[in-house]
């Protein structure tokens, strides 16, 4: 299964990607995680991406397209993958189409703007491995450390209110048009994010025909 997850920031794409990844036995490719790793490791890519990300702006298309193309060439992607956070502009979607890689489904995970703000304020992630958590919806069983690796849980630099507003605007202006792009190919399916994680997981499985 070659899958794209679309949706506003805080829709729960990362969490659903993680669940699907286990269920389907394929890796998640998250541009957000890749970029944050680059920032942490202070690489050239990280230095370039940081200023954009801290303001809630998109990293330039050519940069993101470059890192995703490189990742998609790796052997493990042949059996399938889940793209989380890419494509995020129509130009990125076109660049992906031009690689010739056949995408099976594009899942749009929808939630309201009010929900996004509430979600992002409670969001945490593991400083070491990037696993996503939420203080209410998906707490770690070990309190303020990661269930997976024991790393410290932190709030992302771009989860402050002003940056969140920017990210929501960027989503509506630049990312939402992609839905139409994939609607035309007949690959778009929609799932509505629910209050409960398990409910959302069911919606997603249903939308993808996995039941
Ligand atoms: P969220 O979906 O919650 O906004 P992500 O981790 O997917 O979180 O993205 C965080 C930030 O990383 C974005 O606001 C943007 O600056 C940058 N980014 C991630 N993916 C892309 C992409 N495909 N194109 C451009 N910028 C990206
Ligand atoms: Zn961890």
């Amino acid at each position: 299964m070659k899958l794209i997850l679309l949706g506003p920031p805080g829709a729960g794409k990362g969490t659903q990607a993680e669940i699907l990844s286990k269920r389907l036995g394929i890796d998640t490719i998250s541009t957000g995680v890749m970029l944050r790793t680059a920032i942490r490791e202070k690489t050239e890519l990280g230095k370039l991406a940081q200023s954009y990300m801290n303001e809630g702006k998109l990293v330039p298309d050519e940069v993101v397209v470059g890192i995703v193309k490189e990742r998609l060439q790796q052997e493990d992607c042949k059996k399938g993958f889940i793209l989380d956070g890419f494509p995020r502009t129509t130009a990125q979607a076109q660049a992906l189409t031009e690689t010739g890689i056949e995408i099976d489904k594009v899942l749009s995970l929808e939630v309201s703007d009010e929900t996004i703000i509430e979600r992002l304020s409670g969001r945490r992630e593991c400083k070491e491995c990037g696993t996503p958590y939420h203080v209410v919806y998906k707490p770690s069983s070990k309190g303020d450390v990661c269930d997976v690796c024991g790393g410290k849980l932190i709030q992302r630099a771009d989860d402050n209110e002003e940056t969140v507003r920017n990210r929501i605007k960027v989503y509506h202006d630049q990312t939402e048009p992609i839905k139409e792009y994939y609607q035309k190919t007949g690959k778009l399916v929609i799932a509505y994010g629910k209050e409960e994680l398990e409910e959302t997981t069911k919606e997603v499985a249903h939308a993808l025909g996995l039941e």
Side-chain angles (χ1 to χ4, degrees):
M1 171 93 92
K2 293 177 178 159
L3 185 64
I4 292 173
L5 291 188
L6 279 182
K13 297 190 299 290
T15 303
Q16 291 303 323
E18 195 193 342
I19 292 168
L20 286 169
S21 164
K22 286 200 190 107
R23 180 164 181 176
L24 301 170
I26 51 181
D27 269 356
T28 299
I29 301 171
S30 161
T31 44
V33 170
M34 288 164 102
L35 294 169
R36 279 188 294 281
T37 303
I39 291 175
R40 210 160 46 222
E41 293 172 352
K42 299 189 166 61
T43 63
E44 285 306 309
L45 170 67
K47 282 177 207 157
L48 189 149
Q50 187 155 35
S51 55
Y52 294 100
M53 289 173 74
N54 285 349
E55 288 176 33
K57 292 180 183 156
L58 294 183
V59 175
D61 286 335
E62 60 277 16
V63 175
V64 184
V65 166
I67 60 171
V68 172
K69 272 192 181 165
E70 206 177 293
R71 178 67 185 86
L72 289 175
Q73 273 164 19
Q74 288 171 21
E75 194 57 30
D76 64 313
C77 288
K78 287 199 183 126
K79 62 175 177 181
F81 53 77
I82 301 166
L83 279 172
D84 166 18
F86 182 94
R88 229 179 177 96
T89 62
T90 308
Q92 291 178 16
Q94 278 159 354
L96 180 63
T97 303
E98 280 159 20
T99 64
I101 297 169
E102 271 285 323
I103 299 298
D104 298 300
K105 280 199 173 109
V106 179
L107 175 81
S108 177
L109 187 56
E110 318 244 329
V111 296
S112 69
D113 289 359
E114 304 86 85
T115 306
I116 295 170
I117 304 206
E118 189 203 331
R119 294 260 184 94
L120 294 185
S121 62
R123 183 156 81 171
R124 299 292 180 272
E125 70 169 18
C126 173
K127 192 169 186 275
E128 305 305 326
C129 73
T131 300
Y133 294 91
H134 191 283
V135 291
V136 179
Y137 304 109
K138 193 196 172 222
S140 166
S141 68
K142 298 182 183 136
D144 56 2
V145 298
C146 178
D147 276 329
V148 180
C149 79
K152 198 173 169 239
L153 302 191
I154 54 161
Q155 183 168 39
R156 273 169 45 176
D158 59 351
D159 279 347
N160 68 77
E161 199 177 320
E162 196 193 338
T163 306
V164 166
R165 284 189 202 289
N166 255 329
R167 285 158 64 201
I168 294 173
K169 185 175 185 320
V170 166
Y171 173 75
H172 290 305
D173 292 349
Q174 301 193 55
T175 306
E176 242 182 344
I178 298 183
K179 277 162 57 180
E180 207 182 310
Y181 180 88
Y182 286 115
Q183 176 93 62
K184 285 180 189 146
T185 64
K187 293 187 172 151
L188 186 73
V189 292
I190 293 181
Y192 293 93
K194 298 282 191 258
E195 185 91 2
E196 293 289 323
L197 171 61
E198 286 75 20
E199 288 294 306
T200 305
T201 305
K202 270 188 212 155
E203 288 281 317
V204 166
H206 183 72
L208 291 173
L210 294 175
E211 290 160 316

